[in-house]
Every structure is written in C-alpha cells, then in structure tokens.
Amino acid sequence: MMSKTFTGVIFGLIIAFVSAWLFMQIAQFIAGGITSFWGESWLFYAVIIPCTLTFAFLGGYFYKKEEVTNKKLWLISLLSAFFITLFSGTIGAILGESIVRGGMETINIEGTLVWGTIYAFVFLPFTTAFARLIIGGFYSFIKTKK
C-alpha cells in the first residue's frame, strides 16, 4: 500500500508540472504569443500540493479496490478535478504568489478567492474530462503493477 501511495505522489508531482506547463503554453499562445518557455513560476507552486495529495490518495484507493467501474472513475475525476482546480485557483494561487513575490502585500486575496471559485465551477466540464484521461491512465498503471 505504501508503495502505491508513493507512486501516486511521484505521479502527482509529474502531472502537476506537466499540466501547469501545458496550461501556461496554451494561455500564452492564446494571449498573443509565447514570451517565456517556463512561464510564471507561481502556477507550478499552486498545483503541486493538490495534485500530489490527490494522486497519493488515488494510488492507495486504486490499490485497495479490486475493480473500479467507469461510472466511478468519472465521479472520482469530477471530484478530483474540482478539488485541484478550486485549491490551485484559490489557496494555491495565493501561496504561489506569496512565495514568488516574497509577501502578500500585492495579492488581491478576496478577488482570488471569489474568481478562483467561479473558475473551478465554470471550467468543470473541461477539467473533469482532462482528469478522467489522466486518472484513467493512472488507474491502468496501478492495476498493471499490482
């Protein structure tokens, strides 16, 4: 069990890094051009905690379960996507900005909490589909290593 949780932590770290980088590249492209290969570092800080926690939990959960239905995977994806998006868009964004900027003086905390929550709900159809793809792959990986 412990090794599957550790596998989830490693997988979560990789997914956090890749997802943040991919999001940053797409956002820069839509905004008019890619100005930085790595983008803003606060986004990486914002997604590390929720992705790592989510996949650590899912690693242990998938290891314990004999079989997980497609319906259950979609529900897990919905809940995971909402948690990751809500955390990274609110608390994670505030933590990431405060780490990168060296303080919280320039952060609009109320606006970040309000709009991060709105974004978590508005983008739920997209983030759920993305999470289902990733979680489905992670589930397959865990089951082949069992």
Side-chain angles (χ1 to χ4, degrees), residues 52-71:
T52 304
L53 290 175
T54 299
F55 283 99
F57 173 77
L58 290 177
Y61 177 77
F62 289 153
Y63 182 72
K64 288 180 190 175
K65 292 292 182 181
E66 195 62 36
E67 187 67 32
V68 180
T69 65
N70 189 41
K71 182 178 177 181

Side-chain angles (χ1 to χ4, degrees), residues 58 61-62 68 72-81 135:
L58 290 177
Y61 177 77
F62 289 153
V68 180
K72 187 82 155 198
L73 282 173
W74 275 104
L75 180 61
I76 290 169
S77 299
L78 175 79
L79 295 173
S80 298
I135 290 172

Side-chain angles (χ1 to χ4, degrees), residues 93-95 97-98 101 103-110 112:
I94 293 169
L95 286 174
E97 280 286 337
S98 64
R101 309 283 181 242
M104 294 179 40
E105 296 81 25
T106 60
I107 301 171
N108 178 1
I109 294 175
E110 183 180 344
T112 301

Side-chain angles (χ1 to χ4, degrees), residues 16-91:
F17 181 78
V18 171
S19 296
W21 183 82
L22 186 62
F23 175 77
M24 191 68 66
Q25 296 305 309
I26 292 170
Q28 286 185 80
F29 179 76
I30 291 171
I34 296 174
T35 58
S36 170
F37 183 73
W38 294 112
E40 291 287 332
S41 58
W42 68 266
L43 185 58
F44 296 104
Y45 290 115
V47 298
I48 285 173
I49 294 171
C51 284
T52 304
L53 290 175
T54 299
F55 283 99
F57 173 77
L58 290 177
Y61 177 77
F62 289 153
Y63 182 72
K64 288 180 190 175
K65 292 292 182 181
E66 195 62 36
E67 187 67 32
V68 180
T69 65
N70 189 41
K71 182 178 177 181
K72 187 82 155 198
L73 282 173
W74 275 104
L75 180 61
I76 290 169
S77 299
L78 175 79
L79 295 173
S80 298
F82 183 71
F83 168 70
I84 292 170
T85 307
L86 181 65
F87 187 95
S88 63
T90 56
I91 297 167

